[in-house]
Amino acid sequence: MALLQWGPDITGGRRFHIEDPNHEYQEVRRALHFDRGWTRIGKKEDCELRWTLDERAIDFDKLRDAQMVNHYKDIRCLTTKAGLTRTLDEELKWTASSDANAFFPRSYALDDESHRAAFVQDFRRTACCSAVKAFMDNMPALKEPLTTCLRVCQAWAHDLGDASYRQDDLTDIVWDTLLAYTYKCTSKQKASTPSLSGSATKLIEVEDPILKQACHRVLASLSSRHGQFSMDGSRNIWLTKAPEACRGVGISLHRKLEEILEVADRFPGRVAQKYVENSKLWDKRKFDLRCWVLLVGGGSCDFDAYIYEPLYARLCAKPWSLDDHLLLDEKRHLSNLAVNKGSADNLLGTQSDLETMVDVEKVKGGIRKIVKALARTAHQLASTRSRSFEFLGVDIILDDDAKPWLLECNLSPALARRNDAQSKLIDSALRGCIKRTIDRWCPETAPPPRDDGWRHLLTIEPAPKLPKRNRALHLNVDATALDRPSLVKMDRGSS
């Protein structure tokens, strides 16, 4: 699409400023200037609408009530990796009555001591569970450390509510040695049979029906109680993510605890998130779904949430693989278009393509539930205001059962155009965004409406104003002091 000329506008009328250094939001300027007669002005000039890439560029305390901006003051509670992790872990149950474990892969802010300790425990448990899964898949093992891994899984099942297993504090375990065993027995290297160094620690085929039965039983218990059991897979792979980076920058895959903690110590603010090991593949390649979400209003006015449908998929450039030597190949694991640029293949999939693979309406239903939970949380935590809105890019991955999992929620999502079909989706989404925001507040400049793909999800009405206090109302409380014998007598009577 040809770039618009960014010279001075002379149409008069309402004024706007838009920050768009990569020319990805040109349709916003086109819709405002050519369709509504608005004038684009400089960054420091006063205007009715200010559109920025980052909410920190807006001084919310100095905004007039009628002034429009494309951000909420505290939206970072959802749009940074650490913010999303903490919000879903600590706030979601209160803001949206939802359990993040149902749709968000376990995630930990590693600069927080409690999160770090919880991550270490989670990593150890999942590593031992992976070792038990490998044994049940007839992989070579060692009986003594395998038995310890079984014990860890049994203690985990107890903590999840299986009373058939006893409580176990596991304080006698040498974790470095046990984790080294789990790394080896779950390894996928070019060599045919993984082994520990030394003949005494060589992995072998373990034939023990009683041990196998115990492993089968504990895996069945964990499968029924641990909501992310299938998603965990059998390799115990984790992602580390930079706290505020985007476009795939600062993301790496790891199988070893010491590597993850070293990254966290070297780069403050890192987040560890469980990798979805059973992701659905598109022509043998990993993919995710980019969903655009629009939050509008709030404060003293109604708060509305929308999702743009149809969806589109972003594909990795190379076939997916969890082999150890390929874990650092980001073009197999990260579907960000910025990571995979330069590929000769078409890396975008349409909804019609997706319909040949999954039940799209069922997938959309799952995504809508996730977005509703995010919207309710934003309404509670993001300092909404009547003339603010937020255009977000929500990334969703599907597991092999086509269950949606939330990966990230992106502020001012990148809108680089890769083909004509995607360009039409972008333009339609942005026009619909203007229709539901600017036209809502400035109907006098609105052009005739066009059809678009935005779907309304929910409306939250503003809290009712409290009535003025009746100054003539006086409340009195009459009380009688009680001596000690009277209190003792009352206590005995109640028992």
Side-chain angles (χ1 to χ4, degrees):
M1 187 179 75
L3 296 180
L4 294 175
Q5 295 300 314
W6 289 78
D9 294 315
I10 56 173
T11 57
R14 294 183 179 271
R15 310 197 304 171
F16 72 98
H17 169 75
I18 182 168
E19 179 184 321
D20 185 26
N22 297 320
H23 308 293
E24 295 180 348
Y25 286 79
Q26 285 195 91
E27 190 61 27
V28 172
R29 184 191 173 207
R30 187 190 304 275
L32 290 172
H33 178 59
F34 292 105
D35 297 342
R36 291 162 178 80
W38 287 48
T39 301
R40 178 176 176 265
I41 49 88
K43 179 179 180 179
K44 295 183 178 181
E45 296 181 66
D46 187 49
C47 57
E48 282 79 11
L49 168 65
R50 190 169 298 279
W51 188 300
T52 69
L53 296 180
D54 193 322
E55 87 286 354
R56 290 172 293 186
I58 300 171
D59 189 343
F60 286 88
D61 294 332
K62 294 183 179 180
L63 291 177
R64 303 186 305 275
D65 290 342
Q67 200 165 9
M68 296 164 278
V69 293
N70 67 318
H71 293 300
Y72 295 123
K73 181 178 181 180
D74 297 314
I75 195 61
R76 296 167 68 81
C77 65
L78 295 180
T79 58
T80 65
K81 275 76 169 176
L84 182 65
T85 293
R86 289 190 173 96
T87 295
L88 296 188
D89 177 60
E90 301 168 5
E91 305 291 344
L92 189 70
K93 55 183 174 291
W94 309 110
T95 59
S97 302
S98 298
D99 180 9
N101 285 320
F103 62 82
F104 186 56
R106 304 187 304 286
S107 188
Y108 301 92
L110 296 179
D111 59 350
D112 181 286
E113 290 186 9
S114 61
H115 272 239
R116 188 179 178 116
F119 163 69
V120 171
Q121 181 186 52
D122 191 342
F123 185 96
R124 290 170 172 173
R125 285 173 165 177
T126 311
C128 291
C129 186
S130 296
V132 173
K133 288 179 179 179
F135 171 65
M136 294 302 293
D137 289 336
N138 299 316
M139 296 293 290
L142 286 173
K143 187 171 182 178
E144 183 177 346
L146 174 62
T147 302
T148 305
C149 288
L150 172 63
R151 180 181 151 204
V152 173
C153 292
Q154 290 171 338
W156 188 9
H158 172 273
D159 292 345
L160 292 176
D162 190 338
S164 66
Y165 294 111
R166 64 182 179 84
Q167 185 176 1
D168 190 340
D169 58 17
L170 308 173
T171 54
D172 60 317
I173 293 178
V174 181
W175 284 106
D176 289 347
T177 302
L178 186 62
L179 288 179
Y181 165 74
T182 67
Y183 301 151
K184 289 294 182 180
C185 71
T186 61
S187 177
K188 289 183 68 177
Q189 299 179 358
K190 292 182 179 180
S192 57
T193 304
S195 62
L196 296 171
S197 61
S199 59
T201 56
K202 184 177 181 179
L203 301 181
I204 60 175
E205 298 290 338
V206 176
E207 295 292 340
D208 188 330
I210 296 178
L211 179 59
K212 181 156 281 194
Q213 183 179 10
C215 290
H216 174 78
R217 179 169 171 257
V218 76
L219 290 181
S221 177
L222 290 174
S223 177
S224 64
R225 291 172 171 81
H226 175 32
Q228 300 188 7
F229 180 84
S230 297
M231 185 212 74
D232 280 349
S234 58
R235 304 291 320 288
N236 195 29
I237 297 172
W238 291 74
L239 297 162
T240 57
K241 297 182 175 183
E244 297 186 22
C246 60
R247 306 190 183 201
V249 176
I251 299 178
S252 55
L253 278 68
H254 305 271
R255 292 189 63 240
K256 296 185 177 181
L257 178 61
E258 59 269 24
E259 292 179 358
I260 298 174
L261 296 182
E262 181 183 358
V263 170
D265 291 338
R266 289 179 58 195
F267 304 103
R270 280 298 196 271
V271 166
Q273 185 177 56
K274 185 65 187 71
Y275 183 87
V276 179
E277 296 187 26
N278 67 334
S279 58
K280 197 162 194 66
L281 301 181
W282 187 309
D283 191 23
K284 299 182 180 181
R285 292 181 290 179
K286 184 181 175 183
F287 71 96
D288 69 7
L289 301 176
R290 168 53 63 92
C291 309
W292 292 316
V293 172
L294 180 63
L295 309 178
V296 184
S300 60
C301 298
D302 286 354
F303 173 87
D304 291 285
Y306 304 84
I307 185 171
Y308 186 78
E309 298 174 351
L311 311 172
Y312 75 91
R314 306 182 303 176
L315 282 63
C316 288
K318 296 182 180 180
W320 177 80
S321 173
L322 290 183
D323 289 353
D324 288 3
H325 66 289
L326 297 177
L327 291 182
L328 297 181
D329 190 344
E330 58 185 10
K331 291 190 176 183
R332 298 181 189 273
H333 301 285
L334 305 181
S335 55
N336 307 72
L337 294 177
V339 169
N340 293 278
K341 65 182 180 181
S343 172
D345 296 334
N346 177 26
L347 300 181
L348 295 175
T350 66
Q351 181 170 300
S352 59
D353 296 328
L354 190 64
E355 288 171 350
T356 65
M357 302 166 51
V358 299
D359 182 344
V360 170
E361 289 307 313
K362 183 177 180 181
V363 169
K364 286 182 179 179
I367 294 174
R368 289 169 194 152
K369 290 181 180 179
I370 294 173
V371 173
K372 285 181 180 179
L374 294 176
R376 293 184 185 280
T377 301
H379 178 257
Q380 292 289 325
L381 303 180
S383 301
T384 61
R385 61 186 291 271
S386 60
R387 293 208 172 187
S388 282
F389 62 97
E390 201 70 68
F391 178 66
L392 303 170
V394 174
D395 295 337
I396 300 288
I397 192 170
L398 304 181
D399 64 19
D400 52 11
D401 291 325
K403 172 182 169 59
W405 294 90
L406 170 67
L407 296 180
E408 294 179 356
C409 183
N410 298 283
L411 185 77
S412 300
L415 299 178
R417 290 160 164 79
R418 305 298 181 183
N419 57 38
D420 290 341
Q422 184 213 20
S423 183
K424 290 179 180 178
L425 289 179
I426 291 172
D427 290 345
S428 176
L430 291 177
R431 287 195 302 268
C433 174
I434 297 298
K435 171 184 173 182
R436 287 160 179 80
T437 56
I438 310 307
D439 292 350
R440 169 171 164 174
W441 302 314
C442 302
E444 68 278 4
T445 64
R450 304 182 190 179
D451 293 334
D452 56 52
W454 286 103
R455 178 189 179 98
H456 184 259
L457 291 181
L458 61 83
T459 296
I460 301 177
E461 296 180 352
K465 293 183 178 180
L466 296 176
K468 293 183 179 180
R469 183 169 62 90
N470 187 345
R471 297 184 181 275
L473 182 63
H474 299 281
L475 299 177
N476 295 316
V477 177
D478 295 327
T480 302
L482 295 175
D483 55 17
R484 182 175 179 83
S486 301
L487 291 173
V488 172
K489 183 177 181 181
M490 292 173 60
D491 184 57
R492 289 175 179 174
S494 62
S495 61

